[in-house]
Each structure stands twice: as structure tokens, then as C-alpha cells.
């Protein structure tokens, strides 16, 4: 007598071959960008070790520093009084190089095989991250070494974002893109958390390992990428997604093969074109200025500039802020700062879910930015009054700050890169992603730089700068929010008219 099919096997068979491949690509690209962000985080954790108050630390017997020197245990050249400016220079060496390189990276990403481009970028990123940490073991104390390594690392890290967004965009349609990409985009926060925890293990003893270990992991992931990344569904005989399947577009394009009644179409994320594949000419990669002309690209790019300014200021300066204001140890400050990234995971998923439900990407971002401004003020004023309030406010601030950032860099970029004005040419996806994230990276460079310049005047002024950036980001979306409100009103009027028509026919 045979037993029934094992429940686990029944569960596995419930998913189609296409679904398994899509899930695999989603997981692989998640791990890829987790490694990218993991390798960026150690510098923010190690800052408090590069310059610290050594007055309570027992001096070694062979110490040659002055008895009044309270920074004798700091790492030269960051033991000077202008250490904040020097650390800011190290941050900005990476961020400025990243911002400049991002505009170029998207163009290369559309013209080179993604698998080679991405795996090569990860190997080089792992190398330069490790070289920064090797400065500890090689006893290097010159600023130019650390700045130069950060410049090269910033350039090679630009290979990551346009490539992974393009790859995911190639595999997934528009259906539930906001929700799926909201979950997927948690790789940013997961990478930050892992980077903080790994760096925290060695920050007090051998801080060089705080960079070497993430660097090695990133390089290994680059090899995995080379071995397993699949750029297009067609490469493994999977069906390609439809990026535009709305009723209006179907009516307007009834004569197109993809809209034929003989083609099987499904809604949501799994929407795919089931028509037989016919040979067609390869679409031409879009120009930089052509991508700028896509409706919404400029507004979302400028909004991301200010949103990313806030997010990256927290990324690079939050551990030091907690260390100085709440007087935690370097490891404790690093661990506590991960709660901001935990909030970022929640915020990214909520932003995607809400924007899918309302079909209002700009409005979702605008509301979260409006709420973020007073929360930043409250965190600075009351966040350090107790560990409980600090935990809650960090999570809420992380959700409200990183929610719009996550939505714009994922679902919005993919939407615009497959905009209906492109008439099916998905070659714009990498360039659009690079323009949006490259503009945002200018803000990412400005934020830590301004924090380094303003923080000597008091942390209150840093938070006023962050609140102002949030307000500006919100204002830049006003036109798009207005258009979304008009679209909602029009949709509501049509639904009301349909209901009335049905009532009269009865």
C-alpha cells in the first residue's frame, strides 16, 4: 500500500519552474547587495577606535607619549584635534567617487554582460575593503593611503546597484513590485547590521579585521555571482515578465502579439508573456539625456538626493553620536545603531506595500518624509533619556527615513526604467537606476561631510540640517503627488459612474 505524496514535496511542486528561478534570482541578488553594504559599514564602527579618549586606559611600559596626551592610543593621523574633518575626508573620498562613478556605471551596465560586470566589481570591492584594514597590520599612518583606497572602493562599488536592479527588473513584472522589492531591499539594512556586528567583534582589539573579514566575504560572493547569476529569463527558457499589463494599455495595443486573446496572461508579480518567442531586433540602449526625459526621473532623483543625505549621515555618524552623547562603548554604540537599520527593513516593506495598494509611489514617500522630520527632532531631544526610548525612536526613525529611500531606489527606479514611454525598451533600466541613485549619492556624500563640519558646533545643528533636508525632499515631490491625487479622483469618478450605470440597468 502506497502512502500519499509527502506534504513537503507537494509544497515544492506547487511552484512552477519559473517561480523557482525567480526566487533563486531574488535570493542571489539579495545576498550580493547585502555584501556590498556590509563592506561599507565598518568605517562608521571603527571611527570611535581611530580617535578616542585614552585617559582611562593603562599605558604600556614602553609608551613614549606625553603624560598629558589623552589621545595616545588613537590611530595616527586621526589622533589630532581636527579628527572629525579627517574622518569626514575619508568618508567623502568614498562617497564622492561613488556619486561620480554611478552616473557612468549605469551606461557600462547596459553595454556589458551583467554577470561579468557584477562579479568583477565584487572581487575588486572585496580587495579594496581588505586593503583598508590591512593598513592596521602594515602600520600605515598616512592619510592619503586611506583616502586613495576609499576612492577606488567607491568607484568599484558603483557596479552593484544598477546591476542588481536591472537583473531583478529583467525577471519581475510590475504587479506587486513595490512589496516584493520592499522586502528585497532589506538587503541594505541587513548588510549594515552584519557589517556593524562583524566590525564590532574586532573594533576594540584588531580593528583591521573589521575590514578584512567583510572584504573576504564580498570577494567570495563575487565568485558565487560569476558561477550562478542568470541575467535574463530567456537564458534558461523561462518566460519573460510583462512590465505593462494595465487595461488601458491592453486596449490601446490590442493588435500587438502580447495582447492577443490567444496569449495567456496573469496579474501580479508572476505576470508573464506566454506567447511563442519570435526573433526580434535587440533594443538600443538609451542615452543619458534620453533617460532624463522620462517623466518623473528628475523629481525622484532630486528627492533621493535629500533623502539619501539623511540616511547616509545616520549610516556614517550615528555610532559616533551615540558614543559621544549616550557615552556607550564603541561596541555598544555600534550594536545600538543597528536598530536604525532594523527600522529601515520595516519601513521599506511598508512603503512598498502601501504604494502597491494605493498606486501612489510619490504620495507614500511624501507622507513618510513629513512624519520623519518631527521624529528626528524628538530623537535628538529625548532619544538618549533612556535605553527604552532610544530603541523605540531609532526603529521609528529608521522606518520613516529609509522607507522613501528604499522605495525610490527599487520599485520607483524599476517603474521608470520600464516606463510605457519607452515602448517596451527595457535597456533604459540600468541608466535610469544609475541616474536616480547617482543623484542620491551626491546627497550621500554631502550629508556626512556637512555632519563633520557642523558637529563641532553641536549635534543639535546636525539634526536641524537633517530635518531641513527631509522637508526639501518632500517639497520636490509635490507635482507628482498632485498628479497621483488627480489620478485617484479620476479613477473614483469612473468607478462611481460604473456603479450608477449598473443601478440604472436594473
Amino acid at each position: 500500500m502506497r502512502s500519499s505524496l509527502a506534504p513537503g514535496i507537494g509544497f515544492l511542486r506547487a511552484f512552477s519552474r519559473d517561480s523557482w528561478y525567480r526566487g533563486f534570482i531574488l535570493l542571489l541578488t539579495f545576498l550580493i547587495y547585502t555584501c556590498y553594504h556590509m563592506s561599507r559599514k565598518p568605517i562608521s564602527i571603527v571611527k570611535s577606535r581611530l580617535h578616542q579618549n585614552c585617559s582611562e586606559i593603562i599605558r604600556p611600559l614602553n609608551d613614549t607619549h606625553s603624560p598629558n596626551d589623552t589621545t595616545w592610543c588613537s590611530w595616527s593621523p586621526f589622533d589630532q584635534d581636527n579628527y572629525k574633518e579627517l574622518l569626514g575626508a575619508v568618508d567623502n573620498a568614498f562617497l564622492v567617487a561613488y556619486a561620480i562613478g554611478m552616473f557612468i556605471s549605469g551606461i557600462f551596465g547596459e553595454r556589458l554582460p551583467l554577470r561579468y560586470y557584477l562579479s568583477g566589481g565584487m572581487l575588486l570591492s572585496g580587495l579594496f575593503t581588505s586593503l583598508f584594514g590591512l593598513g592596521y597590520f602594515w602600520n600605515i599612518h598616512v592619510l592619503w593611503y586611506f583616502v586613495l583606497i576609499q576612492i577606488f572602493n567607491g568607484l568599484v562599488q558603483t557596479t552593484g546597484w544598477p546591476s542588481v536592479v536591472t537583473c531583478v527588473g529583467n525577471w519581475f513584472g510590475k504587479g506587486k513590485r513595490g512589496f516584493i522589492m520592499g522586502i528585497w531591499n532589506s538587503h541594505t539594512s541587513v548588510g549594515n547590521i552584519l557589517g556593524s556586528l562583524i566590525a564590532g567583534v574586532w573594533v576594540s582589539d584588531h580593528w583591521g579585521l573589521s575590514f578584512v573579514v567583510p572584504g573576504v566575504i564580498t570577494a567570495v560572493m563575487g565568485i558565487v555571482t560569476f558561477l550562478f547569476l542568470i541575467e535574463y529569463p530567456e537564458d534558461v527558457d523561462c518566460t519573460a515578465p510583462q512590465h505593462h499589463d494595465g487595461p488601458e494599455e491592453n486596449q490601446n495595443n490590442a493588435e500587438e502579439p502580447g495582447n492577443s486573446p490567444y496569449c495567456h496572461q496573469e496579474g501580479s508579480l508572476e505576470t508573464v508573456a506566454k506567447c511563442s518567442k519570435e526573433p526580434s531586433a535587440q533594443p538600443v540602449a538609451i542615452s543619458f539625456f534620453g533617460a532624463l526625459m522620462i517623466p518623473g526621473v528628475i523629481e525622484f532623483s532630486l528627492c533621493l538626493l535629500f533623502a539619501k543625505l539623511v540616511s547616509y549621515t545616520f549610516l556614517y555618524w550615528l555610532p559616533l553620536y551615540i558614543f559621544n552623547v549616550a557615552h556607550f562603548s564603541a561596541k555598544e554604540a555600534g550594536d545600538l545603531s543597528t536598530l536604525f537599520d532594523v527600522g529601515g527593513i520595516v519601513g521599506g516593506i511598508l512603503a512598498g506595500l502601501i504604494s502597491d495598494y494605493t498606486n501612489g509611489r510619490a504620495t507614500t514617500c511624501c507622507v513618510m518624509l513629513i512624519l520623519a522630520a518631527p521624529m528626528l527632532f524628538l530623537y535628538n531631544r529625548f532619544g538618549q533619556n533612556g535605553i527604552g526610548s532610544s530603541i523605540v525612536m531609532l526603529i521609528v526613525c529608521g522606518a520613516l527615513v529609509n522607507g522613501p529611500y528604499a522605495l525610490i531606489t527599487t520599485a520607483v527606479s524599476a517603474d521608470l526604467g520600464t516606463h510605457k514611454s519607452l515602448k517596451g525598451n527595457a535597456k533604459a533600466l540600468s541608466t535610469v537606476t544609475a541616474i536616480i541613485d547617482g543623484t542620491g549619492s551626491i546627497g550621500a556624500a554631502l550629508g556626512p561631510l556637512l555632519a563633520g563640519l557642523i558637529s563641532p558646533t553641536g549635534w543639535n545643528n546636525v539634526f536641524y540640517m537633517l530635518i531641513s533636508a527631509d522637508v526639501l525632499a518632500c517639497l520636490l515631490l509635490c507635482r507628482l503627488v498632485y498628479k497621483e491625487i488627480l489620478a485617484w479622483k479620476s479613477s473614483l469618478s469612473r468607478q462611481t459612474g460604473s456603479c450608477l450605470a449598473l443601478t440604472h440597468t436594473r
Side-chain angles (χ1 to χ4, degrees):
M1 178 179 176
R2 285 186 178 181
S3 63
S4 60
L5 186 67
I9 301 300
F11 175 78
L12 295 177
R13 290 182 62 186
F15 296 94
S16 66
R17 178 177 180 273
D18 285 11
S19 296
W20 281 112
Y21 270 109
R22 283 188 171 84
F24 171 73
I25 291 300
L26 207 63
L27 177 62
L28 182 60
T29 50
F30 179 93
L31 294 175
I32 288 169
Y33 212 69
T34 293
C35 289
Y36 271 105
H37 253 268
M38 176 185 65
S39 64
R40 297 178 196 175
K41 186 64 178 179
I43 184 64
S44 66
I45 304 301
V46 174
K47 276 180 182 177
S48 56
R49 176 65 182 83
L50 296 177
H51 183 95
Q52 60 181 327
N53 188 343
C54 313
S55 57
E56 297 182 0
I57 299 177
I58 300 174
R59 292 172 179 261
L61 296 175
N62 58 348
D63 180 56
T64 57
H65 292 84
S66 167
N68 297 324
D69 187 358
T70 59
T71 61
W72 62 268
C73 62
S74 300
W75 191 266
S76 175
F78 305 104
D79 56 346
Q80 303 171 29
D81 291 337
N82 64 337
Y83 73 96
K84 288 184 178 180
E85 287 80 357
L86 297 180
L87 291 172
V90 172
D91 288 343
N92 276 277
F94 175 92
L95 293 169
V96 171
Y98 185 86
I100 294 171
M102 184 59 73
F103 290 104
I104 305 169
S105 179
I107 298 172
F108 282 121
E110 284 177 359
R111 291 160 174 81
L112 296 174
L114 283 181
R115 183 165 62 90
Y116 300 154
Y117 189 56
L118 194 52
S119 55
M122 293 196 77
L123 288 170
L124 289 173
S125 181
L127 171 65
F128 288 119
T129 301
S130 299
L131 284 173
F132 194 102
L134 289 173
Y136 170 82
F137 298 102
W138 294 340
N139 205 29
I140 295 175
H141 295 277
V142 288
L143 182 65
W144 67 262
Y145 173 83
F146 299 105
V147 169
L148 201 60
I149 291 298
Q150 287 287 79
I151 290 173
F152 286 125
N153 200 11
L155 290 173
V156 298
Q157 285 248 342
T158 61
T159 59
W161 189 243
S163 300
V164 293
V165 172
T166 299
C167 191
V168 172
N170 290 339
W171 278 86
F172 291 93
K174 191 177 180 180
K176 294 180 181 176
R177 183 179 276 167
F179 176 59
I180 294 297
M181 282 193 157
I183 297 174
W184 176 75
N185 192 63
S186 62
H187 53 48
T188 299
S189 298
V190 172
N192 290 341
I193 292 169
L194 286 175
S196 297
L197 296 177
I198 292 171
V201 173
W202 292 285
V203 64
S204 299
D205 300 319
H206 305 290
W207 61 260
L209 290 174
S210 298
F211 292 89
V212 173
V213 174
V216 171
I217 294 173
T218 302
V220 170
M221 195 64 210
I223 297 171
V224 173
T225 301
F226 178 81
L227 294 175
F228 294 104
L229 184 68
I230 307 166
E231 297 178 31
Y232 297 97
E234 297 91 333
D235 293 344
V236 286
D237 296 323
C238 289
T239 47
Q242 288 181 336
H243 295 292
H244 302 289
D245 55 355
E248 291 181 6
E249 290 173 291
N250 289 344
Q251 291 170 8
N252 295 337
N253 302 296
E255 300 301 321
E256 294 180 9
N259 293 321
S260 165
Y262 301 104
C263 292
H264 176 67
Q265 298 183 11
E266 298 172 5
S268 81
L269 184 66
E270 296 298 329
T271 301
V272 292
K274 298 290 185 179
C275 292
S276 60
K277 300 173 187 175
E278 298 179 3
S280 59
Q282 282 286 340
V284 180
I286 195 170
S287 68
F288 180 86
F289 291 104
L292 274 179
M293 293 300 103
I294 297 172
V297 167
I298 293 176
E299 287 97 330
F300 276 115
S301 296
L302 293 175
C303 173
L304 185 63
L305 187 151
F306 292 104
K308 209 166 179 180
L309 182 153
V310 179
S311 181
Y312 267 66
T313 302
F314 272 91
L315 174 68
Y316 281 91
W317 287 92
L318 181 59
L320 189 63
Y321 169 77
I322 296 172
F323 179 79
N324 287 339
V325 176
H327 307 295
F328 285 104
S329 68
K331 185 179 186 307
E332 290 169 341
D335 292 344
L336 190 61
S337 69
T338 61
L339 293 172
F340 183 82
D341 295 301
V342 172
I345 296 174
V346 177
I349 295 172
L350 282 177
L353 190 62
I354 294 169
S355 69
D356 277 343
Y357 180 75
T358 62
N359 198 27
R361 309 282 199 217
T363 306
T364 303
C365 291
C366 197
V367 170
M368 295 185 84
L369 289 167
I370 290 171
L371 295 174
M375 277 307 305
L376 291 174
F377 176 82
L378 292 173
Y379 173 68
N380 180 49
R381 187 58 60 94
F382 306 109
Q384 308 305 327
N385 290 350
I387 189 68
S389 61
S390 183
I391 290 172
V392 172
M393 288 188 175
L394 273 174
I395 292 174
V396 175
C397 285
L400 295 175
V401 168
N402 283 341
Y405 163 36
L407 187 62
I408 293 171
T409 53
T410 53
V412 169
S413 295
D415 289 351
L416 295 175
T418 54
H419 194 268
K420 60 184 178 182
S421 65
L422 298 169
K423 299 179 180 178
N425 182 3
K427 277 283 188 179
L429 186 51
S430 185
T431 299
V432 169
T433 302
I435 289 173
I436 292 176
D437 200 48
T439 307
S441 297
I442 296 173
L446 285 174
L449 173 64
L450 291 173
L453 296 174
I454 296 172
S455 57
T457 67
W459 286 104
N460 286 343
N461 294 330
V462 174
F463 275 87
Y464 294 147
M465 179 265 291
L466 298 179
I467 292 168
S468 301
D470 250 331
V471 173
L472 287 171
C474 182
L475 291 175
L476 285 163
L477 293 180
C478 285
R479 187 183 73 87
L480 296 178
V481 171
Y482 178 69
K483 286 181 66 176
E484 288 179 355
I485 292 172
L486 290 180
W488 290 334
K489 289 175 67 177
S490 175
S491 175
L492 187 62
S493 298
R494 285 198 302 269
Q495 289 175 6
T496 304
S498 300
C499 291
L500 289 173
L502 286 171
T503 304
H504 288 307
T505 56
R506 290 177 184 176

